[in-house]
Amino acid sequence: MARPRAISGARDIPLDHSWTVALTAPGACAGPAQAMALTDWIAARAPGTVAQALEAAGRWRRDAPTPLHDRDAWWRLALEETGRRRLCFEGLATFAEVWLDTTPVLTSVSMFQPRTAEVDIAPGATLWICFRALGPRLAAKPVSRARWRPFIIEAQGLRFIRTTLLGHMPGWSPQVHAVGPWRPIRLIEDGPLRVEDVALQASWDEAGARLELEATIHGLPQDGRLECAGGSAALEPLGEGRYRASLGCPNAKPWWPRTHGDQPLYAARIVAGETEIDLGRTGFRGIEVDRGADGRGFALRINGEPVFCRGAAWVPPDLVGLASDRAACEPILRQMCDAGMNMVRVSGVGVYESPAFFELCDELGILVWHDFMFANFDYPASDPGFVAQVRAEAEAFLKGVQGSPSLAVLCGGSEVMQQAAMMGLPPGDLAWPLFDEVLAQAAASFAPGVAYLPNTPCGGPLPFVANEGVTHYYGVGAYERPLADARAAGVRFAAECLAFANVPQPETLARALSAPAVHDPRWKARVPRDRGASWDFEDVRDHYLQRLYGGDPYVLRRTHPELYLDLSRKVSGDAMTAVFSEWRRAASPCAGGLVWLLKDFEAGAGWGLIDALGEPKPCWYALKRVLQPRQVLITEEGVNGLAVHVLNEGPEPLVAELRLAVFAKQAGALIDVRQAVNVPARGALELSGFELIGRFFDLSYAYRFGPRAHDLVVAQLLAPGGETISEAHHLLGPPRAGTGEVAAELRQEAGGWSLALTAERLQPYVHIVDTAFRPSDDGFLLIPGETRLVRLSSRQEAGGGTGPQGEILALGGRGLGAYGQG
């Protein structure tokens, strides 16, 4: 809420189309007088980037990006407006000079700082912007020496420049350079009222909802009032056009993350006679940080209730255009909701997110952990000019998200303290004024109801230890620890975790990456790695394939390449399932885990849970099966057998039936027991498998008295009507492609299409191929002899037409059956 959404009598004119752009050598044109002679202009839009315009003109390819920081980029627009206006730039990347005709208007030296100027527009005027080449500035001799140099970032001069690190981290992201007006440009014609410097704070506590406002309002015609949620409070004049109001909202209800309740939002406005100022919508929630009984943890309480935060890290969905409007963000955020996630982390390597992003998170009930845009570098915190830039960008961002109930955590940046500690610098000898003072003060002033952390990871004798504060947990993952490390490490909160080279669905590879895995250069170029490391994240995935399944990945991919890819798809999901099952159990000290990364930059085996085409990967489906608010989980407890956990995060008690069943490969349960459960709201239940079956049976095959008699243990949480709420599996032995077929029955009901699947024998991995419909689950296990119902929803990109029609595949691509017409 940096600015009012609408003011009576004012006009807000977006300058979004009819731009043209031309490129020159650095410094070739000093100003518009010289740029007028340029002839090679191409069409562009704002918000937009040079890469986006070049791609549209067929002069640049995202799969083979060419550098853009070695040229000046000139943008021009013939203005239709005339008269006195405010010219507002919400983001210019990065060193920009602006003219109206040949008159200088402003300069910008930060991608993250909005700029505004008052202008008088003559008829026929042209707006010019020159984005100066970043390359010469990166090559300049540094003004101060860094105490450490992060190897993952190519250009060390970026520590002095306020721009995104994306595009400058080989092995992490494509080398797409951000150049251009990446956020909207607007002209504002003020009406009789002008509103500035709005401060809006919504809160919830034992007394209920309260809205606090302070703003400068020029030209207020009479006494005004603040209105929200059926309440009204008079504006109190403070002098010099400054007003404040404090409004209790007794009719308002609390806002909750989607896993824990509803998301009521209320319109806020200032009313003075016939004049109205729309302040947008807000919600009321209270946030507390719970450090635990030992004072060393990190957990969130929302409205007094503990919340297990789970989700993934976010970077811009499209590196080329950097779009962050509703159309770009909504499909991905809805996929987070569908997977049971309730938190998204905007990482310090990216960009500050837009008001549209926060409005969506408010509506969908997704908590936002937002880093300030700092990562890895030893930033020049002793430079007054740099600090002033940082303060200005932080205040501009925070003013833009005031009143957003989804904003839960602000963090000074990513892996700065860790980088220093891993370089051997003693943590006790380091001061962090940028994070402990400048950004902390900005957060306290403009987001007082939001949790603040100076950096992540942080806490403990070294910032990256897992059992204190907040960690980036890669014990299971890059450090190749056994799955049991997820418990042994005592993780309190993982702001990053579980990075694997996650293999997309075969259909995505067929469309966008026709290259053999793993060593084809086209494939390997899209596998993430740390710059300079002797391994990549595909090696990490192969390590767990061998550790968990016993096969040799090298031999497997040569002799059975399709089976290798399917097992690779499955193994990262199995690792994530095991870790989150461990962390979500009631006795775990862990209060949250955010997977790195939500969505891939380009098609391939990237970190993303969702591929670059927007298709969920098998690991996304695996997480969906363990992250729901009403959930059953299984954990292995050594010689104590298996534990079954029932979780209920919702506001109402859970009355259900718990089923524990044991199977071999063929149909028919060896053991099948059921027990009524009643789990209170926000409650959890843990039961021993031995207790549930009422006798000894070596469920986990820990005792090994003779040959193993079973292959699968299943826990199901069943609704009173018999529908499956949640299901968990413990598979003994490595997954093997099952024999037999799968009977598929296509059903059409009022709610849409569904597919009923029944397997003759155990199928540990089933993939549904349907070009027009997306399954609600995929890469799942089929219990022998039992029917599983999978919902099918139309893919928007496929358009209308016929009903579902597809194929069912087993591990390795063997056909199990088909459904639909033909």
Side-chain angles (χ1 to χ4, degrees):
M1 294 187 179
R3 59 185 175 91
R5 296 297 189 268
I7 304 175
S8 301
R11 292 174 62 228
D12 191 332
I13 306 106
L15 302 181
D16 52 4
H17 63 279
S18 301
W19 288 87
T20 55
V21 61
L23 303 179
T24 73
C29 298
Q34 295 77 35
M36 290 177 189
L38 299 175
T39 58
D40 190 13
W41 295 89
I42 60 173
R45 291 182 59 86
T49 66
V50 171
Q52 184 182 44
L54 290 172
E55 183 180 51
R59 301 186 182 185
W60 188 92
R61 290 171 47 193
R62 65 179 63 208
D63 61 345
T66 51
L68 296 173
H69 283 328
D70 58 353
R71 286 168 280 181
D72 288 352
W74 283 87
W75 292 61
R76 68 179 182 184
L77 174 68
L79 296 176
E80 298 177 358
E81 292 287 316
T82 59
R84 187 73 170 174
R85 301 287 187 272
R86 272 188 292 145
L87 179 58
C88 303
F89 300 93
E90 295 188 14
L92 299 171
T94 290
F95 289 91
E97 301 167 19
V98 180
W99 294 265
L100 189 58
D101 289 328
T102 57
T103 302
V105 173
L106 59 81
T107 60
S108 176
V109 296
S110 170
M111 179 179 180
F112 303 130
Q113 188 175 343
R115 299 302 308 274
T116 301
E118 299 276 355
V119 294
D120 290 302
I121 306 173
T126 299
L127 180 62
W128 296 81
I129 313 172
C130 180
F131 296 92
R132 297 298 185 183
L134 191 61
R137 298 174 188 269
L138 293 175
K141 184 177 180 180
V143 296
S144 63
R145 184 179 179 85
R147 292 169 291 180
W148 67 88
R149 294 165 60 91
F151 199 63
I152 64 170
I153 302 169
E154 199 169 33
Q156 296 298 306
L158 285 169
R159 73 186 184 100
F160 300 103
I161 299 172
R162 298 307 302 137
T163 194
T164 181
L165 297 181
L166 294 173
H168 299 276
M169 298 184 293
W172 277 48
S173 68
Q175 303 297 87
V176 177
H177 294 157
V179 182
W182 69 290
R183 284 284 161 85
I185 303 174
R186 299 174 293 113
L187 282 173
I188 296 178
E189 181 182 11
D190 290 314
L193 258 68
R194 179 166 170 175
V195 182
E196 299 173 335
D197 197 17
V198 177
L200 192 70
Q201 173 66 27
S203 61
W204 178 275
D205 57 23
E206 297 85 354
R210 179 157 294 277
L211 187 65
E212 306 280 349
L213 169 75
E214 192 168 315
T216 299
I217 310 174
H218 301 291
L220 194 66
Q222 54 185 283
D223 294 341
R225 302 188 67 82
L226 173 65
E227 296 183 352
C228 184
S232 177
L235 296 180
E236 176 188 349
L238 301 176
E240 299 183 346
R242 193 74 177 162
Y243 295 86
R244 72 180 175 194
S246 180
L247 173 61
C249 303
N251 296 327
K253 296 181 179 180
W255 182 97
W256 292 94
R258 63 174 306 280
T259 49
H260 286 65
D262 296 328
Q263 297 79 47
L265 297 172
Y266 302 94
R269 62 179 184 168
I270 296 170
V271 177
E274 298 299 317
T275 303
E276 182 175 312
I277 302 169
D278 178 8
L279 299 174
R281 294 194 299 170
T282 191
F284 300 93
R285 54 93 186 98
I287 296 179
E288 305 165 75
V289 174
D290 184 352
R291 298 289 181 182
D294 61 1
R296 298 178 177 179
F298 181 87
L300 292 185
R301 288 182 173 268
I302 308 296
N303 306 325
E305 296 290 343
V307 171
F308 182 86
C309 302
R310 66 278 197 167
W314 173 280
V315 292
D318 176 18
L319 279 186
V320 174
L322 294 178
S324 191
D325 55 9
R326 290 185 73 97
C329 297
E330 186 168 6
I332 307 166
L333 291 173
R334 288 196 178 276
Q335 286 175 315
M336 291 192 73
C337 293
D338 193 26
M341 300 178 184
N342 61 13
M343 176 174 272
V344 60
R345 177 187 168 211
V346 180
S347 169
V349 303
V351 299
Y352 293 100
E353 267 310 328
S354 67
F357 173 88
F358 279 91
E359 288 168 7
L360 281 164
C361 291
D362 293 345
E363 296 166 14
L364 297 173
I366 301 174
L367 297 168
V368 178
W369 171 311
H370 206 300
D371 289 358
F372 291 98
M373 294 301 114
F374 299 89
N376 297 87
F377 277 126
D378 181 17
Y379 291 97
S382 60
D383 179 351
F386 183 85
V387 170
Q389 279 190 36
V390 170
R391 186 175 286 112
E393 82 176 50
E395 291 180 3
F397 163 64
L398 293 174
K399 286 179 179 179
V401 297
Q402 292 178 105
S404 174
S406 60
L407 181 59
V409 180
L410 287 166
C411 181
S414 175
E415 296 193 349
V416 176
M417 297 177 176
Q418 169 178 293
Q419 191 83 57
M422 285 191 164
M423 292 293 185
L425 300 177
D429 295 346
L430 297 172
W432 306 104
L434 205 62
F435 308 122
D436 290 334
E437 298 171 21
V438 177
L439 294 174
Q441 290 166 5
S445 297
F446 296 97
V450 174
Y452 177 77
L453 286 166
N455 216 257
T456 180
C458 65
L462 292 172
F464 46 82
V465 298
N467 61 355
E468 292 189 34
V470 175
T471 190
H472 289 182
Y473 177 74
Y474 294 115
V476 175
Y479 304 142
E480 298 184 352
R481 304 287 300 163
L483 298 183
D485 189 72
R487 181 180 297 192
V491 176
R492 308 300 284 266
F493 195 109
E496 288 182 17
C497 62
L498 298 171
F500 295 93
N502 297 310
V503 180
Q505 301 282 28
E507 295 74 37
T508 293
L509 295 180
R511 280 180 60 188
L513 183 60
S514 182
V518 161
H519 290 294
D520 185 288
R522 293 167 295 171
W523 175 284
K524 209 62 175 174
R526 301 185 182 189
V527 173
R529 67 192 184 281
D530 284 344
R531 182 168 173 253
S534 61
W535 52 271
D536 62 26
F537 284 83
E538 195 146 53
D539 296 324
V540 173
R541 188 193 67 227
D542 280 353
H543 167 84
Y544 284 96
L545 192 155
Q546 187 163 19
R547 178 189 284 270
L548 300 185
Y549 302 160
D552 184 335
Y554 169 72
V555 173
L556 192 60
R557 66 174 173 255
R558 282 195 304 130
T559 57
H560 302 286
E562 297 305 319
L563 179 59
Y564 166 76
L565 284 174
D566 273 351
L567 289 173
S568 296
R569 293 180 178 102
K570 178 174 171 55
V571 72
S572 58
D574 283 354
M576 293 176 188
T577 296
V579 170
F580 274 99
S581 295
E582 168 58 41
W583 287 350
R584 290 196 70 192
R585 64 189 181 90
S588 171
C590 185
L594 308 177
V595 176
W596 183 271
L597 184 68
L598 181 59
K599 188 175 185 291
D600 281 341
F601 298 112
E602 53 190 345
W607 283 313
L609 302 173
I610 301 166
D611 70 34
L613 305 184
E615 185 71 20
K617 297 182 184 180
C619 57
W620 178 91
Y621 287 104
L623 283 173
K624 180 180 179 180
R625 293 191 286 270
V626 295
L627 296 185
Q628 299 302 318
R630 296 188 302 169
Q631 184 76 55
V632 63
L633 301 166
I634 295 175
T635 58
E636 190 169 355
E637 304 294 329
V639 294
N640 296 323
L642 300 180
V644 180
H645 310 267
V646 182
L647 311 178
N648 176 28
E649 294 176 322
E652 302 295 332
L654 171 62
V655 178
E657 185 176 57
L658 179 63
R659 178 195 184 201
L660 188 69
V662 178
F663 294 86
K665 288 185 174 62
Q666 65 277 8
L670 306 177
I671 298 174
D672 196 338
V673 296
R674 299 174 185 242
Q675 177 176 313
V677 292
N678 192 329
V679 186
R682 325 285 190 207
L685 180 69
E686 179 179 337
L687 295 168
S688 163
F690 296 146
E691 178 184 356
L692 283 167
I693 64 176
R695 61 183 177 85
F696 174 71
F697 184 88
D698 197 359
L699 294 170
S700 60
Y701 198 50
Y703 291 88
R704 302 180 183 274
F705 296 154
R708 175 165 51 82
H710 63 299
D711 297 279
L712 175 68
V713 180
V714 177
Q716 290 177 325
L717 191 61
L718 305 173
E723 303 88 358
T724 300
I725 300 171
S726 177
E727 183 173 292
H729 307 128
H730 180 75
L731 186 68
L732 293 96
R736 304 294 186 206
T739 58
E741 296 183 349
V742 170
E745 178 190 352
L746 193 59
R747 301 176 183 177
Q748 186 176 19
E749 301 168 350
W753 293 94
S754 61
L755 190 61
L757 301 176
T758 307
E760 298 173 352
R761 297 175 63 82
L762 173 64
Q763 298 291 342
Y765 183 89
V766 174
H767 173 46
I768 297 173
V769 182
D770 193 321
T771 57
F773 284 77
R774 176 174 288 135
S776 60
D777 200 1
D778 199 39
F780 52 81
L781 179 147
L782 277 180
I783 302 169
E786 303 204 357
T787 299
R788 184 184 186 98
L789 203 62
V790 180
R791 297 186 308 279
L792 301 173
S793 56
S794 178
R795 299 176 187 269
Q796 293 181 356
E797 64 272 18
T802 61
Q805 181 178 351
E807 189 177 6
I808 304 154
L809 304 179
L811 270 175
R814 185 179 72 83
L816 292 171
Y819 61 92
Q821 302 171 357

